[in-house]
Amino acid sequence: MKKLFVYFYDEIDFKQVFKNPKRWVGYSFILFFFVIFALGIVYLDQIDQFYKNPIPYFEPDSAKLFKDVNLSLGRKVEGVKIEYIKNPTEAMLKRGEEIFRTTCSTCHGESGKGDGIAGKGLNPPPRDFTKKDGWKNGTSIAQIYKTLQEGIPGTGMVSYEFLSPSEKIALFYIIKSFSNEKSEVSDKDIAELEANYKVTQTYELPPTIPIGIAMSKIVNESQEVQTKANSISNLLNDNYIMQFIEDKEKFSAFLVNAKRTPNELEQLLIQNYPLNGVSSKFILATNQEKQLFIEKIKLMSINTN
Ligand code: HEC
């Protein structure tokens, strides 16, 4: 007990500290403790400020992330002759140059260094074709074809799928011409190209229509149905017909859409009940009554056509 006291006495005796300055090192830990404790209190007190983000959270408009298709008529896309993959024709290369000059050079630069005006400020920047490093897909013909076909998602490099196989292959040679690398194409590359993209096969591109236009077409068509239905609805004043009808509007719309051959009409009238606006009375009617109803409808339809 006495020993312990002597030990602490030494420590508490400040004269010792001044005699032997190295002892400050020990005391400094206590100081650190208080400093960190004080910082902790300030941190907890100001925690709202630490978490406050001066830049408001921005969520991209999900409607704009959706990419609509272009309006295009269907067309035939010619496959490339297999021998042209290794030895492109003059005409192919010329076309490739033209596409590069008009489309790609705005970002990738006239000499492929990635220094085009439209590429400034893009992150990641457009690829410098004269450099070997940093390629995401790679530099083989199959890899460059993949880049052109699919683009690099999330970057300025969009898909150029609409170019024909021979144009995409020509672009590979144009890209290669910027570096001093040889544009070697192995049989394995060709097999890979053919397996993934069927480049030698001619195929039909189906026509496409942007959603906006498709929707307005649907609206127009349904407006047409609506006007026709209205004119039919005005003609539906025969008492015999009306006794079998529950909802005049639904029934007129049904008539516009239904084929007007009497046999099928009877079937449709029963199948689509009650959506087509006929009443249960029609379902329960005798065959004779049904026939008369259909005859009258037929006569009326002829009048509206
Ligand atoms: C709007 C600007 C822009 C245009 C136009 C553009 N590119 Fe790109 N391209 C980029 C960007 C940005 C990258 C880099 C993407 C990355 O690093 O992920 C890139 C990368 C590439 C790559 C390298 C892919 C890889 O493996 O890293 C190739 C090849 C390429 N582009 C070819 C073309 C061709 C050919 C055209 C014209 C048909 C074209 N680009 C048009 C912006 C563009």
Side-chain angles (χ1 to χ4, degrees), residues 99-100 103-104 106-108 118 122 124-127 129 134-138 144 147-148 152 155-157 160 163 171 175:
I99 296 171
F100 191 86
T103 310
C104 320
T106 50
C107 286
H108 288 284
L122 283 185
R127 182 77 52 245
F129 297 140
W135 290 65
K136 289 209 176 129
N137 282 333
I144 286 182
T147 299
L148 292 176
I152 306 235
T155 75
M157 183 62 204
Y160 287 91
L163 296 175
L171 278 168
I175 289 170

Side-chain angles (χ1 to χ4, degrees), residues 65-300:
L65 292 177
F66 170 79
K67 193 164 165 284
D68 205 351
V69 295
N70 296 323
L71 180 67
S72 74
L73 297 170
R75 68 189 161 97
K76 212 171 172 187
V77 180
E78 296 282 338
V80 66
K81 280 201 180 136
I82 196 149
E83 60 266 31
Y84 292 169
I85 301 179
K86 267 190 189 175
N87 298 303
T89 62
E90 279 298 310
M92 267 171 80
L93 292 178
K94 242 185 151 166
R95 176 82 185 120
E97 251 167 45
E98 191 187 320
I99 296 171
F100 191 86
R101 197 163 21 83
T102 54
T103 310
C104 320
S105 70
T106 50
C107 286
H108 288 284
E110 303 261 302
S111 47
K113 288 211 171 92
D115 54 359
I117 357 162
K120 297 229 155 63
L122 283 185
N123 183 20
R127 182 77 52 245
D128 178 348
F129 297 140
T130 64
K131 290 218 175 94
K132 269 192 159 175
D133 305 324
W135 290 65
K136 289 209 176 129
N137 282 333
T139 59
S140 80
I141 189 165
Q143 289 163 332
I144 286 182
Y145 200 98
K146 177 179 162 64
T147 299
L148 292 176
Q149 188 76 11
E150 297 167 12
I152 306 235
T155 75
M157 183 62 204
V158 297
S159 155
Y160 287 91
E161 193 190 356
F162 59 86
L163 296 175
S164 74
S166 99
E167 288 169 332
K168 279 177 260 189
I169 284 163
L171 278 168
F172 159 75
Y173 286 96
I174 305 301
I175 289 170
K176 283 291 182 171
S177 70
F178 295 122
S179 66
N180 290 325
E181 257 183 275
K182 264 212 200 133
S183 22
E184 270 178 49
V185 173
S186 67
D187 289 339
K188 195 176 147 262
D189 285 327
I190 295 179
E192 199 179 326
L193 264 188
E194 184 60 9
N196 293 340
Y197 304 111
K198 304 200 172 25
V199 290
T200 62
Q201 286 168 31
T202 296
Y203 58 93
E204 294 275 345
L205 269 185
T208 56
I209 179 168
I211 290 196
I213 297 181
M215 279 184 10
S216 67
K217 260 188 141 22
I218 291 172
V219 169
N220 283 345
E221 275 167 24
S222 69
Q223 272 168 355
E224 248 169 63
V225 170
Q226 190 62 50
T227 6
K228 277 190 191 164
N230 286 345
S231 66
I232 290 180
S233 180
N234 291 337
L235 289 170
L236 282 177
N237 44 20
D238 182 291
N239 282 340
Y240 183 80
I241 293 180
M242 285 314 291
Q243 66 176 317
F244 295 113
I245 287 170
E246 174 106 15
D247 185 324
K248 208 171 164 183
E249 271 174 31
K250 278 188 190 164
F251 185 67
S252 339
F254 164 77
L255 281 186
V256 176
N257 291 315
K259 288 190 187 123
R260 291 181 189 133
T261 49
N263 298 336
E264 277 181 35
L265 191 59
E266 178 173 358
Q267 255 181 6
L268 286 175
L269 279 167
I270 293 164
Q271 278 169 5
N272 290 352
Y273 167 81
L275 294 178
N276 53 15
V278 293
S279 67
S280 55
K281 198 175 166 191
F282 178 77
I283 307 296
L284 300 172
T286 65
N287 273 348
Q288 241 178 349
E289 284 171 326
K290 280 185 184 135
Q291 283 315 315
L292 185 57
F293 177 86
I294 286 163
E295 285 309 312
K296 280 184 175 263
I297 292 290
K298 213 178 123 192
L299 269 177
M300 197 196 76

